[in-house]
């Protein structure tokens, strides 16, 4: 069955006027009338009673209307299911810094999937790796801390975090309300991996404050860094949201404050897919709601 003819039948059953139904279907009245006659010829019955004043359904038309509405509903449901499955098969790829849980990024992505049924593949990597992955289009989006290639990406603000000094609870400076980095100049440090952006940031700000930190250990796993600090083997500089509350640790704000931005990034030179636009809309709505 040609669904166009079905739409024409339903329009005429609704408007009870050939001219109004033709206008609603965006075709001429003569073409519309020919389609209704062709449908009636195919069925071998008259579906409409025509008069100079109005059009009404015949008994056959009433029967056909019941099934036409069901067919239309089933057609729409089939299209919706196909679109959902296509979205699941196509989807988008989103990158995020390793701390996606601490910053609520994982919750954001899972909420998007549940709301839209669009499939998302999530890849976790340090910021210095996420930018090349965006550039070579391995990713559609990435949540990046302290973006370097600012001219190549659109950037939407997502979150910010503050660098803190992490000390064992029994450290002599643990009772301070805030700390100046110069006060840690003689400490041993445990940092995130060498050459990573967090490592480079900590090295730069220490040197700006007059000393080169003595780094005795570096690790990508935050829990390992914190365990070193708990055992009194050194101190660390970490973003505040990465440090869970722990009676064995003290987090002190740094003066002057060091703030890091986390942005949702995507390529300027490449157009987004419909799923990409759906994610942007969801992201904007969630951010505005916060």
């Amino acid at each position: 069955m040609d669904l166009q003819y079905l739409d024409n039948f339903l329009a005429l059953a609704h408007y009870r006027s050939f001219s109004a139904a033709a206008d609603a279907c965006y075709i001429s009245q003569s073409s519309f009338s020919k389609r209704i006659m062709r449908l009636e010829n195919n069925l071998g019955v008259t579906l409409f009673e025509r008069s100079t004043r109005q059009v009404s359904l015949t008994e056959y038309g009433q029967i056909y209307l019941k099934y036409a509405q069901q067919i239309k509903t089933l057609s729409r449901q089939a299209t919706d299911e196909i679109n959902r499955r296509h979205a699941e098969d196509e989807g988008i790829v989103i990158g995020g810094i390793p701390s996606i849980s601490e910053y609520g990024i994982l919750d954001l992505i899972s909420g998007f999937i549940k709301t839209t049924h669009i499939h998302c593949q999530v890849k976790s990597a340090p910021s210095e790796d996420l930018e090349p992955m965006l550039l070579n289009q391995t990713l559609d989006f990435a949540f990046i801390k302290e973006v370097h290639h600012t001219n190549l990406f659109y950037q939407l603000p997502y979150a910010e975090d503050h660098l803190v000094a992490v000390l064992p609870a029994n450290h002599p400076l643990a009772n301070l309300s805030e700390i100046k980095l110069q006060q840690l100049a003689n400490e041993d440090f445990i940092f995130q991996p060498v050459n990573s952006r967090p490592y480079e940031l900590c090295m730069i700000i220490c040197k700006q404050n007059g000393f080169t930190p003595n780094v005795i250990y570096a690790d990508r796993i935050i829990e390992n860094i914190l365990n070193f600090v708990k055992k009194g083997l050194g101190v660390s500089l970490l973003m505040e949201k990465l440090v869970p509350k722990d009676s064995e640790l003290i987090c002190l704000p740094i003066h002057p404050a060091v703030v890091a931005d986390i942005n949702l990034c995507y390529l300027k030179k490449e157009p987004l897919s419909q799923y990409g636009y759906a994610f942007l809309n969801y992201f904007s709505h969630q951010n505005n709601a916060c």
Side-chain angles (χ1 to χ4, degrees):
M1 176 188 294
D2 189 331
L3 290 181
Q4 271 193 335
Y5 283 54
L6 192 72
D7 289 338
N8 297 155
F9 169 82
L10 290 171
L12 187 54
H14 175 74
Y15 288 101
R16 305 297 176 96
S17 162
F18 275 87
S19 59
D23 288 342
C25 294
Y26 300 102
I27 60 174
S28 67
Q29 186 172 334
S30 60
S31 296
F32 184 87
S33 296
K34 288 177 182 177
R35 289 185 178 184
I36 295 298
M37 290 177 62
R38 192 171 296 123
L39 178 61
E40 290 177 322
N41 290 336
N42 288 341
L43 292 171
V45 295
T46 301
L47 299 174
F48 294 96
E49 293 285 358
R50 283 87 161 167
S51 71
T52 55
R53 292 189 175 182
Q54 68 172 17
V55 176
S56 60
L57 287 164
T58 65
E59 185 179 352
Y60 294 117
Q62 292 285 357
I63 295 171
Y64 193 73
L65 176 63
K66 179 175 63 175
Y67 291 101
Q69 290 170 334
Q70 293 179 27
I71 293 168
K72 185 68 177 177
T73 299
L74 288 170
S75 175
R76 184 169 55 250
Q77 290 173 347
T79 301
D80 289 345
E81 186 170 341
I82 287 171
N83 288 338
R84 281 196 300 270
R85 179 56 186 268
H86 185 245
E88 291 170 359
D89 290 342
E90 291 288 317
I92 54 177
V93 184
I94 302 173
I97 49 181
S99 44
I100 56 175
S101 293
E102 288 81 355
Y103 289 110
I105 297 170
L106 198 57
D107 290 337
L108 178 76
I109 295 172
S110 63
F112 170 71
I113 295 171
K114 290 176 182 176
T115 301
T116 64
H117 305 288
I118 294 174
H119 175 72
C120 291
Q121 184 180 355
V122 181
K123 295 185 177 182
S124 178
S127 293
E128 58 269 21
D129 294 336
L130 291 172
E131 289 194 29
M133 293 166 75
L134 263 184
L135 290 171
N136 64 28
Q137 299 178 52
T138 305
L139 304 173
D140 297 298
F141 297 95
F143 289 88
I144 299 175
K145 186 181 291 182
E146 296 301 299
V147 180
H148 283 193
H149 294 88
T150 55
N151 60 320
L152 300 176
F153 305 129
Y154 291 113
Q155 300 178 64
L156 301 178
Y158 173 68
E160 66 176 34
D161 204 353
H162 296 76
L163 197 69
V164 294
V166 186
L167 285 63
N170 60 358
H171 194 280
L173 300 175
N175 61 341
L176 296 177
S177 58
E178 65 176 19
I179 196 165
K180 294 181 180 179
L181 280 181
Q182 294 96 324
Q183 294 174 273
L184 300 175
N186 296 321
E187 300 283 345
D188 292 330
F189 283 86
I190 300 97
F191 281 168
Q192 289 173 266
V194 177
N195 297 325
S196 68
R197 287 191 187 173
Y199 178 92
E200 296 296 338
L201 172 65
C202 292
M203 293 296 290
I204 289 170
I205 63 169
C206 287
K207 289 177 181 178
Q208 287 174 344
N209 284 272
F211 69 97
T212 298
N214 180 37
V215 182
I216 62 167
Y217 179 70
D219 200 315
R220 190 174 300 280
I221 301 173
I222 300 298
E223 185 180 359
N224 291 344
I225 294 174
L226 298 179
N227 283 334
F228 263 70
V229 175
K230 286 180 187 180
K231 294 179 185 299
L233 298 175
V235 300
S236 187
L237 299 174
L238 293 169
M239 288 298 160
E240 185 175 12
K241 291 181 181 177
L242 301 186
V243 186
K245 291 184 178 180
D246 191 313
S247 60
E248 297 181 69
L249 297 171
I250 295 294
C251 291
L252 296 179
I254 292 172
H255 181 77
V258 178
V259 181
D261 295 316
I262 300 170
N263 292 326
L264 174 66
C265 302
Y266 58 103
L267 272 179
K268 287 183 176 180
K269 67 176 184 178
E270 292 296 325
L272 292 174
S273 68
Q274 60 177 316
Y275 311 120
Y277 279 114
F279 181 69
L280 274 189
N281 289 335
Y282 182 84
F283 173 83
S284 299
H285 177 75
Q286 295 299 311
N287 252 20
N288 291 335
C290 292

